[in-house]
Short mmCIF file of all heavy atoms in Angstrom, two decimals:
data_model
loop_
_atom_site.label_atom_id
_atom_site.label_comp_id
_atom_site.label_asym_id
_atom_site.label_seq_id
_atom_site.Cartn_x
_atom_site.Cartn_y
_atom_site.Cartn_z
N GLN A 225 16.96 -0.60 21.52
CA GLN A 225 18.10 0.10 22.10
C GLN A 225 19.10 -0.94 22.60
O GLN A 225 18.76 -1.77 23.46
CB GLN A 225 17.66 1.03 23.22
CG GLN A 225 16.75 2.17 22.76
CD GLN A 225 16.46 3.15 23.85
OE1 GLN A 225 17.12 3.16 24.89
NE2 GLN A 225 15.46 4.01 23.64
N VAL A 226 20.31 -0.89 22.06
CA VAL A 226 21.32 -1.91 22.34
C VAL A 226 22.62 -1.21 22.72
O VAL A 226 23.04 -0.24 22.06
CB VAL A 226 21.54 -2.82 21.11
CG1 VAL A 226 22.51 -3.95 21.45
CG2 VAL A 226 20.22 -3.38 20.61
N LEU A 227 23.25 -1.70 23.76
CA LEU A 227 24.58 -1.23 24.15
C LEU A 227 25.62 -2.10 23.47
O LEU A 227 25.55 -3.34 23.52
CB LEU A 227 24.75 -1.29 25.67
CG LEU A 227 23.70 -0.54 26.51
CD1 LEU A 227 24.05 -0.63 27.98
CD2 LEU A 227 23.57 0.90 26.06
N SER A 228 26.61 -1.45 22.83
CA SER A 228 27.63 -2.18 22.07
C SER A 228 28.98 -1.96 22.72
O SER A 228 29.43 -0.82 22.91
CB SER A 228 27.65 -1.67 20.62
OG SER A 228 28.68 -2.29 19.89
N PHE A 229 29.67 -3.07 23.06
CA PHE A 229 30.98 -3.03 23.69
C PHE A 229 31.99 -3.75 22.80
O PHE A 229 31.69 -4.82 22.23
CB PHE A 229 30.95 -3.70 25.07
CG PHE A 229 30.03 -3.04 26.05
CD1 PHE A 229 28.71 -3.43 26.17
CD2 PHE A 229 30.49 -2.00 26.85
CE1 PHE A 229 27.87 -2.83 27.08
CE2 PHE A 229 29.65 -1.38 27.77
CZ PHE A 229 28.33 -1.79 27.88
N ILE A 252 30.21 -7.32 22.05
CA ILE A 252 29.24 -7.75 23.06
C ILE A 252 28.06 -6.78 23.00
O ILE A 252 28.23 -5.57 23.19
CB ILE A 252 29.86 -7.76 24.47
CG1 ILE A 252 31.04 -8.73 24.53
CG2 ILE A 252 28.80 -8.13 25.50
CD1 ILE A 252 31.73 -8.75 25.88
N TYR A 253 26.88 -7.32 22.73
CA TYR A 253 25.67 -6.52 22.62
C TYR A 253 24.78 -6.80 23.83
O TYR A 253 24.46 -7.97 24.11
CB TYR A 253 24.91 -6.83 21.33
CG TYR A 253 25.68 -6.48 20.09
CD1 TYR A 253 26.27 -7.48 19.31
CD2 TYR A 253 25.83 -5.17 19.68
CE1 TYR A 253 26.98 -7.18 18.17
CE2 TYR A 253 26.54 -4.85 18.54
CZ TYR A 253 27.11 -5.86 17.79
OH TYR A 253 27.81 -5.55 16.65
N PHE A 254 24.37 -5.74 24.51
CA PHE A 254 23.47 -5.85 25.66
C PHE A 254 22.15 -5.20 25.28
O PHE A 254 22.10 -3.99 25.01
CB PHE A 254 24.07 -5.15 26.89
CG PHE A 254 23.26 -5.33 28.13
CD1 PHE A 254 23.45 -6.41 28.97
CD2 PHE A 254 22.27 -4.42 28.47
CE1 PHE A 254 22.69 -6.58 30.12
CE2 PHE A 254 21.50 -4.57 29.61
CZ PHE A 254 21.71 -5.67 30.44
N TYR A 255 21.08 -5.98 25.24
CA TYR A 255 19.76 -5.51 24.84
C TYR A 255 19.01 -5.01 26.07
O TYR A 255 18.72 -5.79 27.00
CB TYR A 255 18.98 -6.63 24.15
CG TYR A 255 19.59 -7.05 22.84
CD1 TYR A 255 20.61 -8.00 22.81
CD2 TYR A 255 19.17 -6.51 21.62
CE1 TYR A 255 21.20 -8.39 21.61
CE2 TYR A 255 19.75 -6.90 20.42
CZ TYR A 255 20.77 -7.84 20.43
OH TYR A 255 21.34 -8.22 19.24
N LEU A 256 18.69 -3.72 26.08
CA LEU A 256 18.10 -3.09 27.25
C LEU A 256 16.67 -3.54 27.50
O LEU A 256 16.18 -3.45 28.63
CB LEU A 256 18.14 -1.57 27.08
CG LEU A 256 19.54 -0.94 27.01
CD1 LEU A 256 19.43 0.53 26.68
CD2 LEU A 256 20.26 -1.13 28.33
N GLU A 257 15.97 -4.00 26.49
CA GLU A 257 14.56 -4.30 26.66
C GLU A 257 14.32 -5.55 27.51
O GLU A 257 13.30 -5.66 28.18
CB GLU A 257 13.89 -4.48 25.30
CG GLU A 257 14.55 -5.53 24.43
CD GLU A 257 13.87 -5.63 23.08
OE1 GLU A 257 12.64 -5.79 23.06
OE2 GLU A 257 14.56 -5.56 22.05
N ASP A 258 15.27 -6.50 27.49
CA ASP A 258 15.07 -7.73 28.27
C ASP A 258 16.35 -8.24 28.92
O ASP A 258 16.40 -9.38 29.36
CB ASP A 258 14.48 -8.83 27.38
CG ASP A 258 15.31 -9.05 26.13
OD1 ASP A 258 16.34 -8.35 25.97
OD2 ASP A 258 14.93 -9.91 25.31
N ASP A 259 17.43 -7.42 28.99
CA ASP A 259 18.70 -7.77 29.64
C ASP A 259 19.35 -9.00 29.02
O ASP A 259 20.03 -9.78 29.70
CB ASP A 259 18.51 -7.99 31.15
CG ASP A 259 18.15 -6.69 31.87
OD1 ASP A 259 18.29 -5.62 31.24
OD2 ASP A 259 17.74 -6.76 33.04
N THR A 260 19.14 -9.21 27.72
CA THR A 260 19.79 -10.33 27.04
C THR A 260 21.12 -9.88 26.46
O THR A 260 21.35 -8.70 26.19
CB THR A 260 18.89 -10.87 25.92
OG1 THR A 260 18.55 -9.80 25.02
CG2 THR A 260 17.63 -11.47 26.48
N ILE A 261 22.03 -10.84 26.28
CA ILE A 261 23.40 -10.56 25.83
C ILE A 261 23.69 -11.43 24.62
O ILE A 261 23.29 -12.61 24.56
CB ILE A 261 24.41 -10.82 26.95
CG1 ILE A 261 24.10 -9.92 28.16
CG2 ILE A 261 25.83 -10.59 26.47
CD1 ILE A 261 24.97 -10.20 29.36
N GLN A 262 24.40 -10.85 23.66
CA GLN A 262 24.82 -11.58 22.46
C GLN A 262 26.27 -11.23 22.17
O GLN A 262 26.68 -10.06 22.24
CB GLN A 262 23.95 -11.21 21.26
CG GLN A 262 24.25 -12.00 20.00
CD GLN A 262 23.38 -11.57 18.84
OE1 GLN A 262 22.79 -10.49 18.87
NE2 GLN A 262 23.28 -12.41 17.83
N TYR A 295 23.36 -11.34 34.52
CA TYR A 295 24.05 -10.09 34.21
C TYR A 295 23.03 -8.99 33.96
O TYR A 295 22.03 -9.18 33.27
CB TYR A 295 24.94 -10.24 32.97
CG TYR A 295 26.31 -10.80 33.28
CD1 TYR A 295 26.60 -12.15 33.06
CD2 TYR A 295 27.32 -9.98 33.76
CE1 TYR A 295 27.86 -12.67 33.33
CE2 TYR A 295 28.59 -10.50 34.03
CZ TYR A 295 28.85 -11.83 33.82
OH TYR A 295 30.08 -12.34 34.10
N THR A 296 23.29 -7.81 34.54
CA THR A 296 22.48 -6.62 34.30
C THR A 296 23.39 -5.52 33.79
O THR A 296 24.61 -5.71 33.62
CB THR A 296 21.75 -6.18 35.58
OG1 THR A 296 22.72 -5.82 36.57
CG2 THR A 296 20.85 -7.30 36.10
N ILE A 297 22.81 -4.36 33.61
CA ILE A 297 23.59 -3.23 33.10
C ILE A 297 24.64 -2.76 34.10
O ILE A 297 25.64 -2.13 33.72
CB ILE A 297 22.62 -2.08 32.71
CG1 ILE A 297 23.37 -1.03 31.91
CG2 ILE A 297 21.97 -1.50 33.94
CD1 ILE A 297 22.48 0.07 31.39
N ASP A 298 24.42 -3.08 35.38
CA ASP A 298 25.38 -2.64 36.40
C ASP A 298 26.69 -3.40 36.32
O ASP A 298 27.68 -2.96 36.93
CB ASP A 298 24.77 -2.81 37.79
CG ASP A 298 23.48 -2.02 37.95
OD1 ASP A 298 23.40 -0.93 37.34
OD2 ASP A 298 22.56 -2.48 38.65
N PHE A 300 28.51 -3.90 33.62
CA PHE A 300 29.29 -3.56 32.43
C PHE A 300 29.90 -2.17 32.59
O PHE A 300 29.26 -1.23 33.07
CB PHE A 300 28.41 -3.59 31.18
CG PHE A 300 28.03 -4.98 30.76
CD1 PHE A 300 26.88 -5.59 31.27
CD2 PHE A 300 28.82 -5.70 29.89
CE1 PHE A 300 26.53 -6.87 30.89
CE2 PHE A 300 28.48 -6.98 29.50
CZ PHE A 300 27.33 -7.57 30.02
N PHE A 325 24.49 6.61 27.51
CA PHE A 325 23.47 5.91 28.31
C PHE A 325 24.03 5.56 29.70
O PHE A 325 23.34 5.74 30.72
CB PHE A 325 23.01 4.66 27.58
CG PHE A 325 21.84 3.99 28.24
CD1 PHE A 325 20.54 4.39 27.97
CD2 PHE A 325 22.04 2.95 29.15
CE1 PHE A 325 19.46 3.77 28.58
CE2 PHE A 325 20.97 2.33 29.76
CZ PHE A 325 19.67 2.74 29.48
#
Side-chain angles (χ1 to χ4, degrees):
Q225 296 187 14
V226 185
L227 304 184
S228 176
F229 298 91
I252 299 178
Y253 296 106
F254 185 88
Y255 294 85
L256 296 173
E257 56 181 308
D258 53 0
D259 293 348
T260 55
I261 300 175
Q262 184 181 18
Y295 275 100
T296 62
I297 192 175
D298 301 326
F300 288 89
F325 188 86

